[in-house]
Amino acid sequence: MTETTVETGGATGSRVLVVGGHGAVGSAVVAALDGWLPGRVLAGGRGRGVRVDVTDPEAFGRTLGELGEGPAPLGAVVMCVEPPDSGAARACLERGVGVVDVGATPALLDGVAGLDGVARRAGATAVLSVGVAPGLTNLLARRAHEAVGGAERIDLTVLLGAGERHGADAVRWTVEGLAEPVTAAPGRYALPGYGRRAAHPFPFADQYVLRRTLGVPEVTTRLALDSRALTAALFTLRRTGAARPPAVRRLLTALFRRVHTGGDGFALRAEAVRGEQRVALALAGRVQSRVTGLVAAHAARALLDGALPSGVHHLEGLPALADLPERLGLTVVREARGPEVREVR
Ligand SMILES: NC(=O)c1ccc[n+]([C@@H]2O[C@H](COP(=O)([O-])OP(=O)(O)OC[C@H]3O[C@@H](n4cnc5c(N)ncnc54)[C@H](OP(=O)(O)O)[C@@H]3O)[C@@H](O)[C@H]2O)c1
């Protein structure tokens, strides 16, 4: 038997641009990638580092072209800010540059998913649903779905620490979600370290994506904050319609950026239901923006290593990244019928 050399097909030696690289998520991406790829990581934004603006895809494309002519080719862009549409992702993929996107808005992810053909033709890869929610929630959902042999319904719960210094863009995104139509009833779910918590439907992208990628007809994501009082106040504002005027949301965004009551922990839970069967998997961690950045950094590294197929993929569709919770030191627990929980792999 002869030994064969396997080409990774990856962009070994190429550079990576982190857009929003000075923000809460982006700085965690830059720190992790810098450790693995010293000298090959560029941080960008409108104000610092590589000057880029994702709201101007043409100028963004020109910058990509210039970077591609630098000392080493540009292999990937990690998007750590939400662009208004898929224009910036298209500019990357058309040039054969990979994309890792931490975006959480359903319409935006759908727009990038629509570039699958563009990516394949260019031999490029995009990874979507990267982060905590969407991201780790997608991975938990897939495990729970498989554990019941194909779920009929999945309930996802995301608990965020109100004490964490969330980035401006993430706070804006969350407050904007309060104006979205309510699609399901609230529920009460047990979360590791927090007990049973009331959680309210919230427009995280994971629920819409998983209906398609896992073929589960009913998926709902609910949000709670670690402060019970703040959770109740926030969702009362939504229920009464008080959060609908843009001026109120601007005020809430400013308030959340200044007031930090609570901890910096987060917890996630995915419950899959099929007939009488029910499997709930959960995990807890600290500083969701840092963990989002780490998930994105791992995805970017796998992309640059050529470990991911070309085309546009959501995190739960990539076996190379299926063990991310364990790689990040997060313990996945399986909820028993009683109060007991046990670790699962
Ligand atoms: N999937 C998940 O679980 C998850 C979790 C947390 C956050 N997120 C998403 O991650 C994104 C970043 O959140 P964050 O907390 O890091 O926010 P952040 O701290 O406000 O960081 C955003 C960064 O983007 C840059 N930026 C803003 N507008 C830009 C533009 N038009 N073009 C280029 N750069 C721009 C900003 O720098 P300049 O002002 O210098 O441009 C800033 O450094 C948000 O979209 C949020 O929804 C996802």
Side-chain angles (χ1 to χ4, degrees), residues 57-138:
E58 264 184 48
F60 186 69
R62 282 196 296 278
T63 306
L64 295 178
E66 285 159 20
L67 291 174
E69 289 160 10
L74 187 67
V77 169
V78 186
M79 297 278 187
C80 298
V81 62
E82 290 221 328
D85 55 37
S86 57
R90 175 184 281 276
C92 296
L93 296 171
E94 281 177 343
R95 288 168 175 78
V97 175
V99 173
V100 172
D101 194 335
V102 305
T105 301
L108 182 65
L109 296 195
D110 283 351
V112 182
L115 299 173
D116 186 59
V118 173
R120 285 176 199 273
R121 278 193 294 281
T125 302
V127 190
L128 308 180
S129 301
V130 173
V132 164
L136 296 177
T137 49
N138 297 53

Side-chain angles (χ1 to χ4, degrees), residues 178 182 232-245 248:
L178 292 174
V182 182
L234 211 56
F235 287 99
T236 301
L237 280 179
R238 179 172 77 176
R239 204 181 60 246
T240 56
R244 235 170 271 143
V248 174

Side-chain angles (χ1 to χ4, degrees), residues 153-179:
R153 193 184 88 221
I154 296 179
D155 288 300
L156 297 169
T157 315
V158 178
L159 180 141
L160 298 176
E164 179 179 334
R165 290 187 180 277
H166 301 283
D169 209 47
V171 172
R172 177 199 55 76
W173 184 89
T174 310
V175 172
E176 287 303 313
L178 292 174

Side-chain angles (χ1 to χ4, degrees), residues 20-30 80 164-170 257 287-294:
H22 300 101
V25 172
S27 52
V29 178
V30 170
C80 298
E164 179 179 334
R165 290 187 180 277
H166 301 283
D169 209 47
R257 293 224 56 214
V287 191
Q288 63 78 28
S289 45
R290 181 184 59 88
V291 174
T292 292
L294 288 174

